[in-house]
Amino acid sequence: MSALRTLDDLLAEGVSGRRVLVRADLNVPLDKQSGAITDDGRIRAVLPTLGALVEAGAKVVVCSHLGRPKGAPDPQFSLSPVAGRLGELLGAPVHFATDTVGDSARSTVADLADGQVALLENLRFNAGETSKDEAERGVFADQLAAFGDAYVDDAFGAVHRKHASVYDVPARLPHVAGRLVLREVEVLSKLTSEPERPYVVVLGGSKVSDKLAVIEALLPTVDRLLIGGGMCFTFLKAQGLEVGTSLLEKDMVETCRNLLERADGKILLPVDVVVADAFAPDAAHDTVRVDGIPSHRLGLDIGPETVAGFAAALSQAKTIFWNGPMGVFEMAAFAAGTRGIAEAITKADAFSVVGGGDSAAAVRALGLDESSFGHISTGGGASLEYLEGKTLPGIAALEN
């Protein structure tokens, strides 16, 4: 990878009085009823970059997506609550544009004083942001680029997307990597170049198909691969075990069988699981051995014996990557597996990386100390694609 120009390079050139367009990842979860932000981790992650620009006297124009609106305004996906929270964290009001590149955006940006921050409305309210048509994306990128004299990408969670604000805008403005993007690239390149051994990877989440490419990429390089979450049941089925009504990808069973044969003993699977009568927080549940899952019940977490076995493997590690919860951690009855693995990672004498998405959300939801992990990524899909060795469009655009 060629060296990226960084925020420090831009600051050294001087940004006082200049408009700096910052692509952030403010795609935070919102409560469906109240619309309140339930986890502000992604907003906090961009503060070092925004704070440095504000301090240097830049006119900071922040843009982001939130959720998956269909290329048109949709009130449930408005960034308005994010503007409020960002202002609280920065300690100064954030001027909010009620559209992305329209009259409100133009006047909001025009009225910025040095050291002030504006936030544009959700980028995905404009079909040009995610369009596969280069010309349509280009028109939107031109409109966005008009708001900046320089561009900073600090949205690692979006760098695997070939979107206008990530891929096309940097071609139109002097561009650098923000603090967050730079840190993510440094950390993940550590995992792909020469990780200190033993290198142990923990993968969870619901589907094998979502993680197949990363399993294929990691198998030759890791020392142990620990598999929990809903995806473990397809592996257990591949071993000929009954999995009841647990999540199962039937079309992946043969693939899992092949992976287990090729893994040469590197893959560790659960030995016990927590099974329940239904997918519900108050469902009757108990722990069974994996060879004793009743046909009418479904597995919703790894069991205590599995946690102990996985923790033993983690205690030997010098490098750890974790992506995906071990069970349905959002329900208290099925959170013990994820908590146990997270705590084992914090106790290991290892460089640990939490690979974004649900794993990062679990760390915060379970009240664990974020500083006890080496790095918590903000990009689940992006970090997996980086480890797979894929070219990430947003990083490639910054390198050009």
Side-chain angles (χ1 to χ4, degrees):
M1 189 191 77
S2 62
L4 297 172
R5 290 191 76 237
T6 71
L7 182 67
D8 288 337
D9 294 327
L10 181 64
L11 293 171
E13 292 164 9
V15 293
S16 181
R18 295 174 70 197
R19 297 167 309 151
V20 179
L21 181 67
V22 179
R23 176 51 160 106
D25 178 11
L26 306 176
N27 184 27
V28 294
L30 301 174
D31 181 81
K32 282 190 173 67
Q33 268 70 48
S34 68
I37 296 165
T38 56
D39 177 1
D40 66 2
R42 282 183 170 149
I43 304 176
R44 290 177 179 276
V46 76
L47 293 177
T49 288
L50 297 185
L53 287 167
V54 166
E55 200 175 315
K59 298 174 180 181
V60 186
V61 182
V62 184
C63 60
S64 176
H65 72 285
L66 193 154
R68 297 195 174 187
K70 306 284 188 244
D74 183 339
Q76 67 173 321
F77 296 117
S78 174
L79 280 166
S80 177
V82 174
R85 182 62 182 140
L86 181 58
E88 287 171 10
L89 292 170
L90 285 171
V94 167
H95 304 269
F96 183 62
T98 56
D99 57 27
T100 309
V101 290
D103 291 341
S104 175
R106 284 191 291 271
S107 63
T108 302
V109 173
D111 290 345
L112 279 180
D114 296 359
Q116 288 189 332
V117 179
L119 175 63
L120 307 179
E121 184 54 287
N122 194 333
L123 290 165
R124 291 187 185 174
F125 286 1
N126 189 306
E129 167 68 356
T130 58
S131 177
K132 299 256 189 304
D133 182 300
E134 295 210 1
E136 188 181 9
R137 273 204 331 270
V139 169
F140 185 51
D142 286 340
Q143 293 172 308
L144 277 175
F147 293 142
D149 302 308
Y151 169 87
V152 178
D153 189 344
D154 216 26
F156 184 75
V159 292
H160 59 315
R161 306 286 185 205
K162 197 173 182 179
H163 290 170
S165 64
V166 174
Y167 182 74
D168 301 281
V169 172
R172 289 156 168 79
L173 290 172
H175 49 268
V176 302
R179 297 255 155 93
L180 173 64
V181 163
L182 194 65
R183 170 76 178 146
E184 295 272 11
V185 170
E186 285 170 353
V187 165
L188 292 170
S189 61
K190 225 187 223 190
L191 298 184
T192 52
S193 50
E194 287 296 322
E196 196 180 345
R197 298 189 177 278
Y199 177 22
V200 178
V201 170
V202 187
L203 291 180
S206 52
K207 293 181 174 179
V208 180
S209 52
D210 291 344
K211 304 281 167 79
L212 180 62
V214 82
I215 293 171
E216 294 271 11
L218 288 171
L219 258 187
T221 61
V222 301
D223 297 296
R224 300 315 284 274
L225 180 55
L226 320 180
I227 293 180
M231 63 190 279
C232 78
F233 297 103
T234 305
F235 279 93
L236 293 172
K237 189 74 173 177
Q239 291 185 319
L241 296 172
E242 166 70 60
V243 297
T245 59
S246 305
L247 193 65
L248 176 67
E249 289 184 281
K250 287 180 180 167
D251 58 340
M252 297 297 292
V253 172
E254 190 56 40
T255 302
C256 289
R257 193 175 289 126
N258 290 337
L259 285 168
L260 288 167
E261 284 171 7
R262 281 167 39 210
D264 203 20
K266 284 182 181 182
I267 294 178
L268 259 64
L269 294 174
V271 293
D272 61 343
V273 291
V274 181
V275 293
D277 291 343
F279 187 87
D282 55 354
H285 60 277
D286 52 83
T287 303
V288 299
R289 303 281 303 174
V290 290
D291 57 3
I293 299 173
S295 60
H296 64 288
R297 304 187 89 186
L298 75 162
L300 294 179
D301 196 12
I302 58 174
E305 206 176 314
T306 300
V307 171
F310 283 10
L314 290 163
S315 71
Q316 305 298 310
K318 286 296 173 193
T319 305
I320 297 169
F321 176 75
W322 169 36
N323 179 276
M326 297 292 99
V328 188
F329 73 91
E330 298 90 343
M331 300 179 190
F334 313 111
T338 302
R339 178 183 291 281
I341 295 309
E343 288 175 346
I345 291 171
T346 66
K347 288 173 188 161
D349 180 21
F351 175 65
S352 59
V353 178
V354 180
D358 288 341
S359 324
V363 167
R364 290 189 279 268
L366 296 172
L368 300 164
D369 179 9
E370 293 182 49
S371 67
S372 54
F373 297 90
H375 178 70
I376 298 181
S377 179
T378 53
S383 55
L384 289 180
E385 289 195 17
Y386 192 100
L387 294 185
E388 286 164 29
K390 286 187 178 174
T391 297
L392 305 183
I395 301 297
L398 292 176
E399 289 173 340
N400 289 337

